[in-house]
Amino acid sequence: MKIPSSIWTLLIGIVLTLVSFWYGQNHGLLPTAATDEAVLVDGLFNAMMIVSTGIFLLVEGILIYSAFKYRRRAGDNEDGPPVEGNVPLEILWTAIPAIIVLGISVYSFDVYNEIGGFDPHAIHEAPMNQESMKMPGHGTALAATLSDTPPSTEPNLNQEKSDEAMQDPGTAEVRNADQIPQLRNAPGVGIVAPTIGGSPEKAGKPPELRVNVTGLQYAWIFTYPETGITTGEMHVPIGREVQINMTANDVIHAFWVPEFRLKQDAIPGRQSEIRFTPKKAGDYTLICAELCGPYHGAMRAPVVVETEEAFDKWVQEQLVASKQPLNQAVAVNPAELSPNEFLAPYTKDMGIQPEILHQVHH
């Protein structure tokens, strides 16, 4: 018995739909979802994978079927039948993709809004506090030393900047801050880059934890303004909303932790913001996602998501360890030690690669 083509079409459609839904939910292409925002982003990605898988199987299936069904047989040297077009089919394959694109656009905007990305007034309302972005303690001197002596084809300029920073390391705050007109005219107010702020239900509420992040060639420096802790690795507790205030000392960098599903540029002279709520403990890696120089690939920093108790313990350990700031230790630096040898114990804890430090001081 010959099965009607309509039945075949229905069966094939059912199979394609089931396969697309299964693969869209079980593709295994994403890393661990470590924040509440990651769950929303993953839902959007899975929806796009379902649609993409169905379209891919449909198009490739038709191509393979057509190549086999309508192949030229041996001895057949005639021209194929002329095809003038099919208006209903053309309308169908134009309307369906248009509806899919419109649906994904609406879904994408909803996710962007839910993670706090849509706030047209944030760029005008969120000032950059110059004091809050300073890096106290040994992190300040280290940031000045590293950021002011990057590899460059302009050695004279770099040498002048390096000498200035070494003579007055305490003034090493947000580099380029003095170039912002608003900062020169009204201290404490600066240019704010577009942000990923709080979700709609948390809009207008202060975050539970603030971390100031400074990107420089080729390291990340983290400052906790509430405690004055400055370190080369970021610790955040589970379940508390974290606000990252970031800027850059030299060139554009990008704050990207794949498990958080959030990415934001760190721009010289501007403050950008990301808010997220960690939900899964683990050790992750902060990656610079903007090409920032020859050692861009090594610009990484550890990010630790831990329980509230473990975070409080880490804070206490950092407070004890910061009793002797770097600028005090520099005064007793034995003359026989080179700068990179002397700074090695400090940079090791901050996750800065030794070869980068060696290159910076040469």
Side-chain angles (χ1 to χ4, degrees):
M1 182 181 76
K2 184 178 181 181
I3 301 177
S5 59
S6 58
I7 300 298
W8 276 116
T9 302
L10 178 62
L11 292 175
I12 292 173
I14 292 174
V15 171
L16 286 178
T17 301
L18 294 176
V19 171
S20 299
F21 269 96
W22 178 85
Y23 184 73
Q25 301 292 331
N26 299 276
H27 48 75
L29 298 176
L30 296 174
T32 302
T35 64
D36 292 345
E37 292 74 14
V39 177
L40 298 173
V41 176
D42 288 0
L44 172 61
F45 185 85
N46 291 343
M48 292 191 293
M49 283 300 300
I50 291 172
V51 174
S52 301
T53 301
I55 293 176
F56 174 81
L57 293 176
L58 179 64
V59 172
E60 293 303 316
I62 293 175
L63 286 175
I64 294 173
Y65 171 80
S66 299
F68 178 80
K69 170 98 176 151
Y70 300 106
R71 70 188 188 280
R72 191 181 72 171
R73 270 46 173 202
D76 183 5
N77 297 319
E78 298 180 359
D79 294 334
V83 177
E84 298 181 359
N86 187 316
V87 174
L89 183 60
E90 292 177 0
I91 293 175
L92 184 66
W93 69 38
T94 301
I96 291 179
I99 293 173
I100 291 174
V101 170
L102 181 61
I104 290 178
S105 299
V106 173
Y107 188 8
S108 300
F109 180 81
D110 181 65
V111 170
Y112 185 62
N113 184 52
E114 286 296 317
I115 65 176
F118 180 68
D119 188 356
H121 304 293
I123 191 169
H124 304 292
E125 296 176 354
M128 178 169 70
N129 189 316
Q130 193 171 358
E131 292 295 323
S132 69
M133 293 304 293
K134 289 184 179 181
M135 296 178 293
H138 62 269
T140 302
L142 179 60
T145 303
L146 293 180
S147 64
D148 287 335
T149 56
S152 172
T153 57
E154 301 179 2
N156 294 334
L157 177 59
N158 288 335
Q159 183 61 44
E160 293 175 3
K161 294 169 66 180
S162 176
D163 293 343
E164 177 186 356
M166 293 305 292
Q167 292 172 5
D168 190 9
T171 63
E173 49 195 52
V174 180
R175 192 60 55 194
N176 300 325
D178 57 340
Q179 300 175 15
I180 306 175
Q182 289 86 339
L183 284 179
R184 292 198 299 266
N185 300 330
V189 179
I191 301 175
V192 180
T195 66
I196 299 179
S199 57
E201 61 270 15
K202 296 180 180 179
K205 298 179 181 179
E208 298 178 69
L209 176 66
R210 286 186 175 89
V211 183
N212 296 335
V213 179
T214 302
L216 59 147
Q217 295 174 315
Y218 301 91
W220 296 98
I221 306 298
F222 307 96
T223 303
Y224 293 75
E226 296 175 0
T227 59
I229 294 173
T230 299
T231 179
E233 62 180 30
M234 185 170 73
H235 286 243
V236 290
I238 295 175
R240 290 173 61 183
E241 186 186 37
V242 181
Q243 176 178 307
I244 302 294
N245 300 316
M246 74 184 81
T247 188
N249 273 22
D250 32 48
V251 298
I252 296 178
H253 302 281
F255 182 100
W256 180 44
V257 181
E259 291 81 4
F260 293 178
R261 308 291 193 273
L262 298 173
K263 184 189 296 183
Q264 185 68 281
D265 283 349
I267 306 172
R270 291 176 178 258
Q271 177 184 319
S272 50
E273 173 189 317
I274 286 182
R275 287 198 188 192
F276 59 88
T277 303
K279 77 183 193 82
K280 187 176 180 61
D283 296 332
Y284 308 108
T285 302
L286 168 59
I287 302 171
C288 178
E290 291 283 357
L291 182 60
C292 58
Y295 293 99
H296 161 72
M299 186 171 171
R300 298 176 175 233
V303 176
V304 180
V305 177
E306 55 196 359
T307 62
E308 187 77 30
E309 295 76 14
F311 175 75
D312 292 339
K313 180 180 178 182
W314 176 81
V315 169
Q316 294 303 318
E317 291 174 350
Q318 294 300 308
L319 290 175
V320 172
S322 63
K323 294 295 184 181
Q324 182 185 14
L326 179 61
N327 56 0
Q328 295 177 4
V330 168
V332 296
N333 176 23
E336 64 272 12
L337 292 180
S338 64
N340 58 316
E341 290 174 334
F342 174 69
L343 290 174
Y346 302 95
T347 56
K348 179 180 180 182
D349 294 337
M350 305 181 81
I352 300 175
Q353 301 294 329
E355 58 271 18
I356 296 178
L357 187 62
H358 177 77
Q359 177 66 29
V360 167
H361 288 285
H362 289 78

